[in-house]
Amino acid sequence: MGRMNIWVKRAFICVCVLIGIISTLLLAITLFGHGHFHQSEEIDKMLPGITVLYVLEAATLALSIFGVYGARKEKKWAVILFSVGMSLASLYLFAACVKGYQSKHKMEELSRKEDLAMMPFSGAKQKDIEEMYYFQANFKCCGLVQGYQDWGTDIPLSCLCSDEDSTHFKCVAPGNNTRFVNHYPNSNLSEDDDHKALMDEHMLVFKEPCLPILLSFMGYAMSLMIGTLVALNTLWDIGVALAITILCQMRRKVDVPPVIFTSQPPQYRELCDTAESV
């Protein structure tokens, strides 16, 4: 590539290709998430954030294409467009990382309040009860704050601790006045189904409440997300640094003295004669 360092060019192209691949994957994930939450009640609140993701991912994908084109064809305008665009995107992503880190504890407290709003479970919505069944079955916990006691006398089967679970998780025996129900409370079942229960004095339930586990999982998920954004931001910064390096190499001028060839022999004899006459 003329005066451009070949290794810088290759590194820049590799970074641009990697940015393009990541942007394509993120765009596909955003499309999938948009379709998944399209029927959700909270889609109106999520739509502005989804729109920002569409714009950011599509822009970085287009910029990566311009970067590869500019490096291969030695087009300054394409490399400049990449460096300016990626610099703006990197600043926006950095601000998002800082804002996400600052709002981490606030989000955890908001999630805590939303989870506690489900209690008491006897008056909870069907959707909230189904979510609790899912959490209890997957995180091996029961209730939110006080364990199985949050459910009163009707303990759901998702709290049931099997013999295999008891070797890995803390389990306790519920009170004598409790029973295991095999359906969601407040569900549209018949009266006969409503009284179906499992009674066994040897049955155990998970001891740990779900709220601390849910908050810990949410904090870990937010930390992972922020770490991923920081890594992505670092990759963008590397691309910008390589683009600036390429622009500097494009503008560098190497002064080479002109070489003039002539067909006439040098006048050595005349010089010698001149020296003798002196």
Side-chain angles (χ1 to χ4, degrees):
M1 180 183 251
R3 298 187 300 273
M4 187 181 300
N5 190 298
I6 189 65
W7 295 108
V8 175
K9 171 189 172 183
R10 291 178 178 177
F12 177 70
I13 292 176
C14 289
V15 171
C16 289
V17 171
L18 185 57
I19 291 175
I21 293 174
I22 294 175
S23 299
T24 303
L25 292 176
L26 292 177
L27 187 60
I29 293 174
T30 303
L31 287 170
F32 176 79
H34 190 185
H36 179 74
F37 292 104
H38 181 68
Q39 302 297 333
S40 175
E41 298 177 355
E42 300 180 354
I43 186 63
D44 293 334
K45 299 179 180 179
M46 300 169 62
L47 196 57
I50 293 176
T51 303
V52 171
L53 290 177
Y54 278 139
V55 174
L56 188 62
E57 292 158 0
T60 53
L61 177 60
L63 289 172
S64 65
I65 296 174
F66 281 117
V68 174
Y69 173 76
R72 292 184 63 87
K73 300 297 184 180
E74 296 189 45
K75 300 294 184 180
K76 285 185 179 181
W77 66 267
V79 180
I80 292 175
L81 180 62
F82 172 88
S83 59
V84 173
M86 293 304 297
S87 297
L88 295 176
S90 179
L91 290 175
Y92 177 84
L93 192 60
F94 177 77
C97 292
V98 173
K99 184 178 179 180
Y101 179 79
Q102 292 177 344
S103 62
K104 179 181 177 182
H105 298 290
K106 183 179 179 180
M107 293 294 295
E108 291 178 354
E109 185 62 25
L110 181 62
S111 177
R112 178 186 178 88
K113 291 181 180 179
E114 290 180 353
D115 291 336
L116 291 176
M118 292 189 294
M119 298 182 65
F121 291 132
S122 58
K125 298 179 181 179
Q126 178 69 19
K127 180 181 178 181
D128 295 335
I129 297 299
E130 292 179 1
E131 290 181 354
M132 279 303 303
Y133 268 62
Y134 175 81
F135 292 146
Q136 291 173 157
N138 288 274
F139 293 103
K140 307 300 180 182
C141 55
C142 187
L144 281 175
V145 181
Q146 298 180 348
Y148 73 91
Q149 297 178 5
D150 293 337
W151 290 99
T153 57
D154 294 337
I155 303 175
L157 287 177
S158 55
C159 286
L160 184 61
C161 180
S162 63
D163 295 336
E164 182 180 356
D165 292 331
S166 61
T167 59
H168 303 284
F169 302 94
K170 295 180 180 180
C171 301
V172 295
N176 296 328
N177 297 326
T178 58
R179 64 175 183 172
F180 291 96
V181 294
N182 61 351
H183 64 82
Y184 297 128
N186 301 333
S187 60
N188 297 323
L189 298 177
S190 64
E191 185 176 354
D192 293 336
D193 292 332
D194 187 58
H195 290 87
K196 287 182 180 179
L198 298 175
M199 301 293 295
D200 191 337
E201 59 181 1
H202 299 294
M203 284 186 173
L204 301 176
V205 295
F206 296 112
K207 179 181 178 181
E208 299 295 333
C210 294
L211 185 59
I213 299 176
L214 292 175
L215 294 178
S216 177
F217 179 80
M218 180 180 179
Y220 173 79
M222 291 188 66
S223 299
L224 181 62
M225 181 186 68
I226 294 174
T228 303
L229 293 179
V230 170
L232 185 60
N233 190 43
T234 302
L235 179 65
W236 291 0
D237 290 339
I238 293 174
V240 172
L242 291 173
I244 294 175
T245 303
I246 289 177
L247 287 174
C248 292
Q249 291 177 351
M250 284 181 175
R251 295 172 182 175
R252 187 181 303 153
K253 294 182 179 180
V254 180
D255 296 329
V256 180
V259 179
I260 301 175
F261 296 93
T262 178
S263 58
Q264 297 180 357
Q267 303 297 327
Y268 293 118
R269 183 175 298 279
E270 294 180 3
L271 291 174
C272 294
D273 296 338
T274 302
E276 291 178 355
S277 63
V278 174

